[in-house]
């Protein structure tokens, strides 16, 4: 899974989803720091994180069903 995670992140759609997930989980920035880096609101970061995690979950479930 770890080896294929970048491919799944790249497959995510939606404005800023990939970037927000990387900043938060790969680089360890807080929601506030991520908002400052991207010049967006904290609420927007939270919403984007939620959408991104849901999309990632759907991609992983699809992969599991295919195997």
């Amino acid at each position: 899974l770890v080896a294929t995670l970048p491919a799944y992140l790249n497959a995510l759609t939606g404005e800023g989803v990939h970037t927000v997930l990387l900043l938060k989980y790969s680089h360890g920035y807080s929601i506030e720091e991520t908002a400052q880096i991207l010049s967006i609101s904290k609420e927007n970061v939270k919403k984007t994180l939620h959408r991104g995690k849901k999309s990632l979950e759907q991609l992983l479930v699809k992969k599991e069903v295919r195997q």
Side-chain angles (χ1 to χ4, degrees), residues 61-67:
V61 167
K62 283 181 185 178
K63 181 185 184 320
E64 189 174 296
V65 169
R66 289 184 201 157
Q67 291 183 344

Side-chain angles (χ1 to χ4, degrees), residues 48-60:
T48 304
L49 283 171
H50 179 74
R51 281 194 316 266
K53 288 189 285 187
K54 282 292 202 185
S55 295
L56 187 57
E57 178 183 27
Q58 290 172 352
L59 286 172
L60 293 172

Side-chain angles (χ1 to χ4, degrees), residues 7-35:
Y8 286 110
L9 288 174
N10 288 332
L12 294 175
T13 58
E15 188 173 338
V17 172
H18 179 259
T19 303
V20 168
L21 286 172
L22 279 179
L23 287 173
K24 175 72 174 135
Y25 296 111
S26 181
H27 298 289
Y29 289 109
S30 69
I31 289 173
E32 185 173 299
E33 291 169 324
T34 301

Side-chain angles (χ1 to χ4, degrees), residues 39-54:
S39 299
I40 60 176
S41 70
K42 290 187 284 186
E43 284 302 313
N44 198 357
V45 172
K46 290 177 187 178
K47 289 176 187 177
T48 304
L49 283 171
H50 179 74
R51 281 194 316 266
K53 288 189 285 187
K54 282 292 202 185

